[in-house]
Amino acid sequence: MFATFAVASQEQDPTAPLGWAKKEPVQKVRKVPVPELQSIVCKNNSQCYAILNDKVVEKGNSVSGYKVSNVTASQVELKQGNKSWTLKLFSLDVKK
């Protein structure tokens, strides 16, 4: 009986007001913005590389917590968890 009282008294502050419970610390989620697509370079239309946030990346690489799932001549596909983003090199329809 004494052992049970000793454990219970260590978990509760005897000077705290009645009904007061210690709050658990809240973990803040830090959101990282989607990387900025700056350029795409392709070698013989087979292997494409992208420049995201001043870093050269290819399919399978990660940048700022986002995984590069595909790189084509005109767009880059990113994934983070179960969400995906498509970054296009030119958002406007450019005509020659």
Side-chain angles (χ1 to χ4, degrees):
M1 190 165 150
F2 177 72
T4 305
F5 176 73
V7 172
S9 66
Q10 291 175 354
E11 293 178 6
Q12 188 175 28
D13 182 3
T15 62
L18 291 176
W20 182 83
K22 184 177 180 180
K23 293 182 180 179
E24 295 296 322
V26 177
Q27 292 182 355
K28 294 184 179 180
V29 177
R30 191 179 117 204
K31 290 188 176 185
V32 178
V34 176
E36 179 185 351
L37 175 60
Q38 296 163 314
S39 182
I40 297 175
V41 178
C42 296
K43 293 183 178 181
N44 300 328
N45 290 331
S46 60
Q47 181 69 28
C48 292
Y49 300 90
I51 300 177
L52 300 170
N53 291 354
D54 298 325
K55 294 181 182 181
V56 178
V57 295
E58 61 181 323
K59 181 179 178 178
N61 291 146
S62 293
V63 60
S64 300
Y66 295 85
K67 184 167 182 159
V68 180
S69 60
N70 195 21
V71 180
T72 66
S74 61
Q75 67 185 27
V76 176
E77 295 174 17
L78 302 176
K79 288 190 177 184
Q80 184 183 49
N82 60 354
K83 295 183 180 181
S84 62
W85 292 263
T86 300
L87 306 178
K88 294 187 178 186
L89 192 55
F90 297 107
S91 61
L92 301 175
D93 187 19
V94 180
K95 298 181 181 181
K96 293 182 180 183

